[in-house]
Amino acid sequence: MLIFVLVILAGIALMVVSANPKQKTLRTPAIALLAVGLLGTALSGAFVIIPAGSVGVIFNIFGGVKPTTLTEGYHFVMPGVERVTVYEARLQELTLSRLGEGGSNVDESIHARSKEGLEIAADITVQFNIIPTEAAKLHKELGPNYIETAIRPQVRSKVRDGVGQFNAADLISTQRTQLEALINERLSKEFANNHIELRNVLLRELRIPDSVAKVIEEKQTAEQQVAIERNRKQQAEIAAQRKVVEAEGEAKAQIARAEGEAKALSLRGKALKENPEIIQLTMAEKLSPSIQTIMVPSNGGYLLDLKSLTTAKKQ
């Protein structure tokens, strides 16, 4: 395009020079240069280059926005009738933080209220890309300024709605991932309606006032102490139950032993009753070997000869 403009300027310059009667021979080249320049300028508007990672949307002054989009490379359009708007189709991101986008000093973080009404500031980065096949619809409905007219307000709205579903203490401790997932789900639907694909939602930071953070920290510390004491109590109860079980087991063992001994005594008494000589033999074994004869009670009716009994036992 620049080359053709220079050609036109050169042609004009030659035309000015050829106005001098002495330079009439330059008029023909001047006219030729002007013709080439004008023709080149006209034709240059007929060719459009779509950069890598982009798509082009055609607007026809007679038919409006064409439904098809132009992909990367050279394309021919009708000069003066069709105009092409190029859209970035690669991954893009929007960051809203207290430092501002690009590191500026403007606070763009999102301020919201938690479930119990506490103020929470959120820094967030949203990654997205337009849907290439729907770029014509996006151009028709939103236009090139779609980030400011659609994405930014939707992100702020959905973050505020999401924060309001949780308690502040939960958000800064255990529920951060759940909040991120909730925002992702709700933004995905809104972006899809606007011909945009949501790729990631990244919660960079959640901030609450220092005074509130201190109260929450004290509350969590107290809850941890209660949990520790509850655990100790449970351990003590388990130990006591173990001792009860052990005592019951020991008692049962003693009862079993006593029953066994009683049964043994009963059997022994029965045996002695049926064989009285066993008593005599036992008494003889207990007495000194030097005693050969002893007297038994008068109601026994006989003398006990120990020598004969012991001799008989050995045989």
Side-chain angles (χ1 to χ4, degrees), residues 166-185:
F166 299 88
N167 292 321
D170 295 333
L171 284 178
I172 64 174
S173 57
T174 60
Q175 300 294 319
R176 177 173 177 152
T177 303
Q178 286 82 343
L179 172 61
E180 199 172 71
L182 180 61
I183 296 172
N184 195 316
E185 178 185 355

Side-chain angles (χ1 to χ4, degrees), residues 184-295:
N184 195 316
E185 178 185 355
R186 295 185 176 183
L187 274 180
S188 294
K189 297 178 181 178
E190 293 295 334
F191 278 27
N193 292 334
N194 289 319
H195 319 292
I196 299 167
E197 179 185 6
L198 178 64
R199 301 287 288 275
N200 283 304
V201 171
L202 307 173
L203 274 176
R204 302 172 61 181
E205 187 179 4
L206 292 173
R207 298 183 302 279
I208 60 176
D210 294 339
S211 57
V212 178
K214 184 177 180 181
V215 172
I216 293 175
E217 183 178 356
E218 291 175 352
K219 179 183 177 182
Q220 291 177 340
T221 301
E223 290 176 350
Q224 291 174 356
Q225 292 295 330
V226 170
I228 292 173
E229 293 301 325
R230 187 182 296 112
N231 185 45
R232 289 177 178 173
K233 181 180 179 181
Q234 291 176 349
Q235 291 179 348
E237 290 176 352
I238 292 173
Q241 292 175 358
R242 185 185 299 113
K243 290 181 179 180
V244 170
V245 171
E246 292 175 352
E248 291 177 350
E250 181 63 24
K252 290 180 179 179
Q254 291 179 358
I255 292 173
R257 286 195 294 270
E259 290 177 349
E261 292 175 356
K263 186 174 182 180
L265 289 174
S266 175
L267 293 173
R268 187 174 181 183
K270 183 177 179 181
L272 291 175
K273 184 176 180 181
E274 295 176 353
N275 303 283
E277 63 274 11
I278 295 177
I279 298 176
Q280 298 176 8
L281 178 60
T282 302
M283 291 176 62
E285 290 175 345
K286 298 297 183 181
L287 294 175
S288 173
S290 58
I291 299 176
Q292 300 298 319
T293 303
I294 61 172
M295 297 294 294

Side-chain angles (χ1 to χ4, degrees), residues 13-286:
L14 286 175
M15 287 292 292
V16 173
V17 173
S18 65
N20 189 336
K22 297 181 180 181
Q23 304 292 336
K24 289 182 178 180
T25 55
L26 297 177
R27 183 172 298 177
T28 300
I31 295 173
L33 285 174
L34 283 173
V36 170
L38 292 172
L39 180 60
T41 302
L43 290 176
S44 65
F47 292 95
V48 177
I49 300 176
I50 305 300
S54 303
V55 293
V57 178
I58 303 173
F59 173 77
N60 187 292
I61 61 175
F62 299 110
V65 177
K66 287 189 174 182
T68 57
T69 56
L70 303 179
T71 57
E72 303 169 0
Y74 278 99
H75 297 274
F76 176 80
V77 295
M78 297 176 62
V81 177
E82 294 179 337
R83 185 174 63 252
V84 177
T85 302
V86 178
Y87 282 88
E88 178 72 59
R90 288 177 291 199
L91 181 69
Q92 302 181 72
E93 68 176 33
L94 172 67
T95 297
L96 301 175
S97 69
R98 58 180 171 179
L99 296 178
E101 197 166 5
S104 65
N105 294 325
V106 180
D107 185 0
E108 292 188 323
S109 59
I110 303 171
H111 295 266
R113 294 283 180 180
S114 65
K115 194 173 184 179
E116 68 268 54
L118 297 177
E119 182 176 338
I120 295 179
D123 291 352
I124 189 170
T125 293
V126 177
Q127 295 178 327
F128 61 92
N129 62 268
I130 68 170
I131 301 173
T133 56
E134 300 181 18
K137 294 181 180 178
L138 184 145
H139 180 70
K140 189 174 183 178
E141 297 172 8
L142 299 175
N145 200 31
Y146 64 92
I147 293 179
E148 296 300 324
T149 58
I151 291 182
R152 188 183 294 269
Q154 286 175 2
V155 171
R156 289 188 175 277
S157 175
K158 294 304 179 285
V159 170
R160 291 192 181 101
D161 291 344
V163 170
Q165 304 298 314
F166 299 88
N167 292 321
D170 295 333
L171 284 178
I172 64 174
S173 57
T174 60
Q175 300 294 319
R176 177 173 177 152
T177 303
Q178 286 82 343
L179 172 61
E180 199 172 71
L182 180 61
I183 296 172
N184 195 316
E185 178 185 355
R186 295 185 176 183
L187 274 180
S188 294
K189 297 178 181 178
E190 293 295 334
F191 278 27
N193 292 334
N194 289 319
H195 319 292
I196 299 167
E197 179 185 6
L198 178 64
R199 301 287 288 275
N200 283 304
V201 171
L202 307 173
L203 274 176
R204 302 172 61 181
E205 187 179 4
L206 292 173
R207 298 183 302 279
I208 60 176
D210 294 339
S211 57
V212 178
K214 184 177 180 181
V215 172
I216 293 175
E217 183 178 356
E218 291 175 352
K219 179 183 177 182
Q220 291 177 340
T221 301
E223 290 176 350
Q224 291 174 356
Q225 292 295 330
V226 170
I228 292 173
E229 293 301 325
R230 187 182 296 112
N231 185 45
R232 289 177 178 173
K233 181 180 179 181
Q234 291 176 349
Q235 291 179 348
E237 290 176 352
I238 292 173
Q241 292 175 358
R242 185 185 299 113
K243 290 181 179 180
V244 170
V245 171
E246 292 175 352
E248 291 177 350
E250 181 63 24
K252 290 180 179 179
Q254 291 179 358
I255 292 173
R257 286 195 294 270
E259 290 177 349
E261 292 175 356
K263 186 174 182 180
L265 289 174
S266 175
L267 293 173
R268 187 174 181 183
K270 183 177 179 181
L272 291 175
K273 184 176 180 181
E274 295 176 353
N275 303 283
E277 63 274 11
I278 295 177
I279 298 176
Q280 298 176 8
L281 178 60
T282 302
M283 291 176 62
E285 290 175 345
K286 298 297 183 181

